[in-house]
Amino acid sequence: MYPKRTAVRAAVVLWTAAAAFVAGCTGGSPPASAPATGTGCPAALAAATAAVARAERTDASWTGPTTGPAAVPDKTLVYVAQTMTNPGVAGVAQGLREGAAAIGWRVRVIDGQGTPAGIQAALSQAVTLRPSGIALGGFDPLLTAQQTARATAAGIPLIGWHAVSTPGPSTRPKLFTNITTEVADVARISADWVVARSRGSAGVVVFTDDSIPFAHRKSELIKRQLAHCGGVQLLATENIPIPDATQRTPQQVSSLVSRFGRRWTYSVAINDLYFADAAPALRAAGLPGAGPPFNVGAGDGDPSAFQRINSRQYQAATVPEPLTQQGWQIVDEFNRAFAGRPASGYVAPVHVVTAENSGGATSWDPPGYREAYLGIWGGG
């Protein structure tokens, strides 16, 4: 997701081939710098191409809940953020504020600053405030076992966003529900995009944060899916904690360029922010903004990622979370908890964004959910 233009002719050739393939999912030829191993996996390539074509559709209708309890009045929520420098965490906070305002509730956001001590202190503060509910934004509740136990003992329901690796209710840790796309689906489609875009011939670097169980599992699933194609070579896995990404990613990327050179043709990251931090190093190395390496973010689809994709500068695709919608979903799930009803069970489907299907947007905001939730909360 982070290359720039060196030779105009080379860039035009690369993007002509890329556009022909992505737009039609057939034809074209692999990038000039891809490993010369052929497609390497005809069956995997065909399956990946079909899956990516489905995920790139932008005309899907709302498949979430349309029935549920009417709004329970006069509630206060606290959103404890892993770090508000994580665009995904911040995007959900924005959606949560919007949804809470629509239902008539109050929201307070407390930033954990990206450290275990900071997150524990933030959650302690949240419990002390005795809100109606607490949302956990992007961190493992097992790291805050004492604070979550206090919340449970106080009868405060907890809802997670990317708090555990699977969507839905959780008993350990105790969560009314956890909101996320299905990590296996996100991992699979991001790896499929690499296989399809490269025509089954790629040298790949994976960026992850092993300190977050959700992220670690995602990167392991990505690598497992890539391994289904014999023409795809995993060059390296870079473990860079998200709070350290700005400082560490440029140095690591420079090292990767030195180590692998033209063999590095694709990257997959568990979060788009790695590519923002990699851009200066890729630019300094004289690599083209339009690729290679061609970079895909397996979450979260923040506005800066869309801007890089739309301008073809150091990011080619993302598998975005519908962040605003998920903020609204947190509100709806709390409303169900307050009304004594079960969680909705809704899991947003995966979507792939490229310059060809983004329509110039800066976020993935699927249609229909606002109307649906307002209809539910209004008793209609």
Side-chain angles (χ1 to χ4, degrees):
M1 302 188 174
Y2 293 116
K4 227 183 176 184
R5 295 179 183 166
T6 50
V8 172
R9 176 179 292 180
V12 169
V13 171
L14 287 171
W15 271 101
T16 299
F21 175 73
V22 175
C25 293
T26 58
S29 57
S33 57
T37 57
T39 59
C41 55
L45 175 59
T49 300
V52 170
R54 289 192 299 270
E56 288 181 340
R57 292 184 56 184
T58 60
D59 58 353
S61 58
W62 171 245
T63 58
T66 55
T67 61
V72 178
D74 195 28
K75 297 297 180 180
T76 299
L77 305 179
V78 173
Y79 180 73
V80 178
Q82 181 243 1
T83 170
M84 289 294 282
T85 63
N86 181 326
V89 172
V92 172
Q94 178 180 340
L96 177 60
R97 289 187 179 107
E98 184 183 302
I103 203 172
W105 295 350
R106 299 169 297 279
V107 174
R108 177 170 177 176
V109 175
I110 303 177
D111 192 344
Q113 305 294 331
T115 67
I119 294 167
Q120 289 167 3
L123 187 51
S124 282
Q125 182 182 354
V127 175
T128 300
L129 292 171
R130 297 276 177 162
S132 307
I134 299 174
L136 313 179
F139 61 89
D140 182 2
L142 294 179
L143 299 177
T144 57
Q146 182 179 358
Q147 292 78 17
T148 53
R150 284 177 52 208
T152 300
I156 303 171
L158 301 174
I159 288 179
W161 179 81
H162 286 203
V164 294
S165 60
T166 56
S170 171
T171 55
R172 187 177 182 276
K174 185 172 177 56
L175 301 174
F176 178 75
T177 194
N178 180 59
I179 296 172
T180 176
T181 48
E182 176 55 61
V183 64
D185 293 342
V186 173
R188 185 180 302 113
I189 199 64
S190 60
D192 281 347
W193 184 86
V194 170
V195 174
R197 171 66 178 74
S198 71
R199 306 291 302 276
S201 184
V204 185
V205 173
V206 174
F207 293 89
T208 189
D209 180 352
D210 285 344
S211 70
I212 303 173
F214 180 92
H216 174 73
R217 179 169 178 252
K218 184 189 292 185
S219 61
E220 291 302 305
L221 290 169
I222 289 167
K223 291 186 285 187
R224 188 181 306 171
Q225 185 72 8
L226 289 171
H228 290 165
C229 181
V232 172
Q233 179 185 6
L234 179 65
L235 300 177
T237 301
E238 295 297 319
N239 174 28
I240 304 173
I242 286 175
D244 301 336
T246 299
Q247 182 175 19
R248 290 181 51 185
T249 301
Q251 181 178 355
Q252 293 300 104
V253 167
S254 294
S255 176
L256 290 166
V257 171
S258 297
R259 288 166 60 194
F260 300 117
R262 290 166 60 88
R263 293 169 57 204
W264 179 16
T265 57
Y266 285 81
S267 307
V268 188
I270 56 92
N271 191 297
D272 296 296
L273 62 81
Y274 289 102
F275 299 126
D277 297 322
L282 292 169
R283 184 179 295 110
L287 295 175
F294 302 98
N295 303 304
V296 55
D300 294 313
D302 65 274
S304 67
F306 275 73
Q307 290 164 6
R308 289 190 297 274
I309 291 167
N310 292 337
S311 61
R312 293 183 168 93
Q313 290 295 301
Y314 304 105
Q315 187 158 353
T318 186
V319 184
E321 297 277 349
L323 300 173
T324 302
Q325 179 269 310
Q326 289 174 331
W328 279 65
Q329 185 179 350
I330 290 173
V331 174
D332 184 65
E333 302 292 1
F334 271 124
N335 194 56
R336 293 169 191 270
F338 300 149
R341 302 278 287 276
S344 72
Y346 177 63
V347 180
V350 294
H351 178 62
V352 173
V353 169
T354 66
E356 287 73 24
N357 73 348
S358 73
T362 58
S363 67
W364 170 231
D365 197 30
Y369 68 88
R370 290 179 176 87
E371 297 81 359
Y373 285 133
L374 289 172
I376 293 170
W377 302 337

